[in-house]
């Protein structure tokens, strides 16, 4: 029987409760196209063990291959926990939840194959292999260069995952669910970016939105948001009825329109990461990292996302191709020349806020800072 309005942590988190006296488990291989020379040996975190599979001498950079083994052993879950309603549904199996979080932590493409199931019956381990073994595959880019450059060159440091994963059991159940959901959006976006860049944009924005809603970063100053987003409307309201009319209209008529955007921008401001390293030295090709510059760029991103979802308007074509090259040969973070055209449609550089590659880095940085903040808060609450 499912209890109403009860949210349990995802099973990837709940397994911490059942890691004593393990009687069952599973093993899956995680596939990636990245360089794994930064990883070494195995890492055990709670009920999980992460082991390097790749042989550095046999690497083919950029080719999907099994690079890590993810395994878990745990005891039989008890019946004492109440059921969870759909508010706790992540849509993923345990190993998929952990894989999505590892993809976010490490910043690389990761996806597991069908797990092998293990059972320990009085010291005798029986393994059940999937009847139809499905290997992961990722869409390929039709371009001669990648849309998100550098991913195959990103070294995996499995040890860096420990501090994040160890914080999971201390999270509030809904926060743990939201974290898995955001990680899933990020991991899926990274996995399909080369073949489906428009969907990757949508998923990355959704990943940040999930976190922003969970964090509940809100602003009561809707008048300021109206002034910055709709300056002509704000001016007309002030001329008609002064600041009082602007505030009243902003809090009522405009609130529903700008609340989601405001929450998105406020979250980005609160958890804006440091600029990426390495990055182009060409300052004209760098994404402005100031609050104002970042806000202007993210407003455009959010606007394209909303137009795609609600009006079916495709993303501008230049946002769906490999990034331009800066003057120093590094990938540019934004579009500095123009116009850019496809068919009979053109876009100026001012209409193109940033590349998909830099937005993926920005989204990951925000999500990891949010995760660290939740972990710090959970540690303080349990101290």
């Amino acid at each position: 029987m499912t209890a109403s309005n009860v949210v349990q942590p995802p099973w990837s988190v709940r397994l911490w409760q059942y890691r004593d006296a393990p009687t069952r488990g599973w093993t899956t291989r995680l596939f990636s196209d990245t360089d794994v020379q930064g990883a070494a040996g195995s890492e055990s975190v709670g009920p999980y063990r992460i082991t390097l599979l790749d042989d550095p001498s046999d690497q083919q950079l950029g080719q999907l291959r099994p690079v890590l083994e993810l395994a878990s052993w745990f005891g039989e879950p008890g019946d004492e926990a109440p059921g969870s309603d759909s508010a706790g549904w992540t849509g993923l199996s345990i190993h998929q939840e952990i894989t999505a979080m590892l993809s976010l932590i490490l910043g690389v493409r990761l996806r597991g194959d069908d797990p092998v199931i293990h059972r320990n019956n009085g010291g005798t381990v029986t393994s059940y292999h999937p009847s139809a073994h499905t290997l992961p595959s990722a869409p390929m880019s039709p371009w001669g260069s990648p849309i998100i450059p550098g991913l195959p060159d990103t070294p995996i440091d499995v040890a860096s995952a420990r501090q994040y994963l160890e914080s999971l059991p201390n999270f509030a159940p809904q926060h743990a669910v939201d974290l898995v959901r955001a990680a899933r959006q990020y991991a899926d976006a990274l996995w399909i970016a080369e073949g489906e860049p428009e969907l990757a944009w949508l998923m990355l924005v959704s990943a940040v939105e999930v976190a922003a809603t969970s964090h509940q970063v809100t602003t009561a100053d809707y008048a300021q948001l109206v002034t910055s987003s709709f300056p002509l409307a704000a001016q007309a309201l002030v001329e008609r009825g002064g600041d009082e009319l602007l505030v009243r209209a902003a809090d009522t008529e405009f609130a529903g329109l700008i609340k989601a955007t405001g929450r998105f921008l406020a979250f980005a401001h609160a958890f804006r990461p440091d600029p990426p390293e390495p990055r182009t030295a060409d300052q004209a090709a760098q994404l402005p990292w100031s609050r104002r510059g970042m806000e202007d760029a993210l407003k455009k991103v959010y606007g394209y996302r909303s137009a795609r979802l609600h009006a079916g308007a495709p993303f501008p074509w230049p946002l769906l191709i490999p990034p331009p090259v800066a003057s120093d040969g590094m990938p540019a973070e934004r579009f500095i020349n123009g116009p850019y055209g496809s068919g009979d449609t053109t876009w100026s550089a001012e209409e193109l806020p940033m590349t998909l590659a830099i937005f993926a880095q920005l989204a990951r940085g925000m999500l990891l800072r949010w995760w660290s903040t939740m972990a710090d808060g959970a540690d303080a609450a349990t101290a």
Side-chain angles (χ1 to χ4, degrees):
M1 180 177 181
T2 302
S4 177
N5 298 321
V6 173
V7 177
Q8 290 291 331
W11 269 108
S12 57
V13 178
R14 293 164 70 179
L15 282 194
W16 256 266
Q17 305 173 43
Y18 308 110
R19 55 181 170 169
D20 297 330
T23 58
R24 56 193 296 189
W26 46 260
T27 303
T28 184
R29 297 178 303 167
L30 304 187
F31 286 69
S32 184
D33 59 352
T34 195
D35 180 358
V36 299
Q37 293 189 41
S42 297
E43 285 287 328
S44 294
V45 183
Y48 302 102
R49 187 186 71 247
I50 308 167
T51 306
L52 170 67
L53 288 181
D54 231 4
D55 179 3
S57 65
D58 191 34
Q59 288 184 8
Q60 297 183 42
L61 201 61
Q63 179 183 357
L64 285 177
R65 59 202 184 280
V67 296
L68 296 171
E69 179 184 87
L70 176 63
S72 180
W73 277 93
F74 48 93
E76 292 289 339
D79 298 328
E80 70 280 359
S84 179
D85 67 11
S86 59
W89 172 244
T90 68
L92 301 175
S93 64
I94 297 173
H95 80 275
Q96 290 171 335
E97 291 178 356
I98 290 291
T99 301
M101 288 188 279
L102 285 172
S103 177
L104 172 61
I105 295 167
L106 301 173
V108 299
R109 294 188 182 95
L110 279 180
R111 185 152 294 187
D113 61 3
D114 299 318
V116 177
I117 308 300
H118 310 292
R119 292 193 180 275
N120 187 345
N121 300 308
T124 302
V125 176
T126 305
S127 298
Y128 303 88
H129 294 262
S131 56
H133 206 76
T134 304
L135 298 180
S137 61
M140 301 298 293
S141 172
W143 306 96
S145 56
I147 295 176
I148 302 184
L151 279 185
D153 300 316
T154 304
I156 290 181
D157 180 8
V158 175
S160 67
R162 174 177 294 279
Q163 62 174 324
Y164 290 101
L165 296 180
E166 285 184 336
S167 68
L168 293 174
N170 298 325
F171 284 5
Q174 187 62 61
H175 285 166
V177 170
D178 294 337
L179 175 60
V180 170
R181 288 174 173 172
R184 178 189 187 180
Q185 293 288 324
Y186 172 85
D188 285 350
L190 217 59
W191 189 259
I192 68 170
E194 297 302 325
E196 297 286 352
E198 189 169 42
L199 292 181
W201 275 106
L202 297 179
M203 290 177 177
L204 288 171
V205 173
S206 293
V208 176
E209 274 203 309
V210 169
T213 302
S214 180
H215 185 66
Q216 290 298 300
V217 175
T218 58
T219 175
D221 195 355
Y222 290 119
Q224 182 180 357
L225 288 173
V226 171
T227 300
S228 61
S229 301
F230 306 97
L232 294 180
Q235 180 181 350
L237 288 166
V238 171
E239 291 175 351
R240 181 69 178 268
D243 290 339
E244 182 181 350
L245 180 59
L246 171 61
V247 171
R248 189 164 71 249
D251 289 345
T252 55
E253 302 298 325
F254 284 89
L257 176 64
I258 63 179
K259 183 180 291 185
T261 306
R263 183 171 54 221
F264 179 83
L265 296 176
F267 181 88
H269 173 64
F271 297 104
R272 181 179 53 194
D274 296 330
E277 288 293 342
R279 69 188 307 204
T280 175
D282 183 350
Q283 294 188 359
Q286 292 180 354
L287 176 67
W289 223 258
S290 64
R291 177 176 182 175
R292 180 61 183 272
M294 187 69 70
E295 186 173 282
D296 289 346
L298 288 174
K299 279 182 183 177
K300 291 186 177 74
V301 170
Y302 198 83
Y304 287 134
R305 177 262 193 187
S306 297
R308 179 65 176 86
L309 289 181
H310 303 304
F315 270 64
W317 173 78
L319 301 184
L320 310 179
I321 63 175
V325 179
S327 61
D328 59 358
M330 294 283 289
E333 299 171 3
R334 62 173 178 166
F335 299 82
I336 55 177
N337 298 312
Y340 296 83
S342 177
D344 59 357
T345 305
T346 60
W347 297 267
S348 67
E350 289 73 23
E351 295 176 277
L352 306 170
M354 66 183 76
T355 66
L356 178 58
I358 196 64
F359 184 60
Q361 291 187 54
L362 181 59
R364 174 176 173 255
M366 289 189 287
L367 292 173
L368 289 180
R369 286 205 165 179
W370 168 62
W371 188 337
S372 296
T373 298
M374 286 198 297
D376 293 341
D379 290 343
T382 57

